[in-house]
PDB file of all heavy atoms in Angstrom:
ATOM      1  N   SER A  26     136.889  25.884  30.597  1.00  0.00           N
ATOM      2  CA  SER A  26     138.150  25.997  31.303  1.00  0.00           C
ATOM      3  C   SER A  26     137.855  26.489  32.714  1.00  0.00           C
ATOM      4  O   SER A  26     137.142  27.476  32.894  1.00  0.00           O
ATOM      5  CB  SER A  26     139.070  26.973  30.580  1.00  0.00           C
ATOM      6  OG  SER A  26     140.313  27.015  31.225  1.00  0.00           O
ATOM      7  N   CYS A  79     146.664   7.440  36.660  1.00  0.00           N
ATOM      8  CA  CYS A  79     146.784   6.068  36.165  1.00  0.00           C
ATOM      9  C   CYS A  79     146.650   5.942  34.651  1.00  0.00           C
ATOM     10  O   CYS A  79     147.064   4.943  34.070  1.00  0.00           O
ATOM     11  CB  CYS A  79     145.784   5.162  36.874  1.00  0.00           C
ATOM     12  SG  CYS A  79     146.171   4.941  38.620  1.00  0.00           S
ATOM     13  N   ILE A 108     146.251   3.433  42.388  1.00  0.00           N
ATOM     14  CA  ILE A 108     147.685   3.713  42.288  1.00  0.00           C
ATOM     15  C   ILE A 108     148.484   2.420  42.409  1.00  0.00           C
ATOM     16  O   ILE A 108     149.428   2.187  41.654  1.00  0.00           O
ATOM     17  CB  ILE A 108     148.120   4.749  43.348  1.00  0.00           C
ATOM     18  CG1 ILE A 108     147.459   6.104  43.076  1.00  0.00           C
ATOM     19  CG2 ILE A 108     149.638   4.863  43.417  1.00  0.00           C
ATOM     20  CD1 ILE A 108     147.874   6.810  41.801  1.00  0.00           C
ATOM     21  N   LEU A 112     151.062   1.020  39.648  1.00  0.00           N
ATOM     22  CA  LEU A 112     152.467   0.751  39.975  1.00  0.00           C
ATOM     23  C   LEU A 112     152.842  -0.685  39.617  1.00  0.00           C
ATOM     24  O   LEU A 112     153.941  -0.943  39.124  1.00  0.00           O
ATOM     25  CB  LEU A 112     152.734   1.018  41.457  1.00  0.00           C
ATOM     26  CG  LEU A 112     152.754   2.490  41.880  1.00  0.00           C
ATOM     27  CD1 LEU A 112     152.717   2.605  43.391  1.00  0.00           C
ATOM     28  CD2 LEU A 112     153.971   3.209  41.306  1.00  0.00           C
ATOM     29  N   VAL A 124     161.400   2.877  44.790  1.00  0.00           N
ATOM     30  CA  VAL A 124     161.057   1.889  45.816  1.00  0.00           C
ATOM     31  C   VAL A 124     162.189   1.778  46.831  1.00  0.00           C
ATOM     32  O   VAL A 124     161.945   1.758  48.044  1.00  0.00           O
ATOM     33  CB  VAL A 124     160.721   0.512  45.194  1.00  0.00           C
ATOM     34  CG1 VAL A 124     160.636  -0.563  46.265  1.00  0.00           C
ATOM     35  CG2 VAL A 124     159.417   0.585  44.418  1.00  0.00           C
ATOM     36  N   GLN A 127     161.939   4.838  49.058  1.00  0.00           N
ATOM     37  CA  GLN A 127     160.772   4.845  49.935  1.00  0.00           C
ATOM     38  C   GLN A 127     160.813   3.725  50.972  1.00  0.00           C
ATOM     39  O   GLN A 127     160.292   3.886  52.070  1.00  0.00           O
ATOM     40  CB  GLN A 127     159.472   4.806  49.127  1.00  0.00           C
ATOM     41  CG  GLN A 127     159.235   6.055  48.283  1.00  0.00           C
ATOM     42  CD  GLN A 127     159.074   7.335  49.097  1.00  0.00           C
ATOM     43  OE1 GLN A 127     159.791   7.594  50.059  1.00  0.00           O
ATOM     44  NE2 GLN A 127     158.129   8.156  48.690  1.00  0.00           N
ATOM     45  N   LEU A 132     161.315   2.381  56.657  1.00  0.00           N
ATOM     46  CA  LEU A 132     162.095   1.776  57.739  1.00  0.00           C
ATOM     47  C   LEU A 132     162.430   2.815  58.804  1.00  0.00           C
ATOM     48  O   LEU A 132     162.324   2.535  60.003  1.00  0.00           O
ATOM     49  CB  LEU A 132     163.370   1.139  57.186  1.00  0.00           C
ATOM     50  CG  LEU A 132     163.177  -0.148  56.385  1.00  0.00           C
ATOM     51  CD1 LEU A 132     164.462  -0.539  55.666  1.00  0.00           C
ATOM     52  CD2 LEU A 132     162.689  -1.277  57.280  1.00  0.00           C
ATOM     53  N   LEU A 133     162.824   4.009  58.365  1.00  0.00           N
ATOM     54  CA  LEU A 133     163.121   5.080  59.321  1.00  0.00           C
ATOM     55  C   LEU A 133     161.894   5.446  60.156  1.00  0.00           C
ATOM     56  O   LEU A 133     161.998   5.731  61.348  1.00  0.00           O
ATOM     57  CB  LEU A 133     163.615   6.329  58.584  1.00  0.00           C
ATOM     58  CG  LEU A 133     165.042   6.280  58.046  1.00  0.00           C
ATOM     59  CD1 LEU A 133     165.313   7.490  57.154  1.00  0.00           C
ATOM     60  CD2 LEU A 133     166.047   6.237  59.192  1.00  0.00           C
TER      61      LEU A 133
END
Side-chain angles (χ1 to χ4, degrees):
S26 183
C79 292
I108 295 294
L112 288 167
V124 169
Q127 294 297 43
L132 288 169
L133 285 171

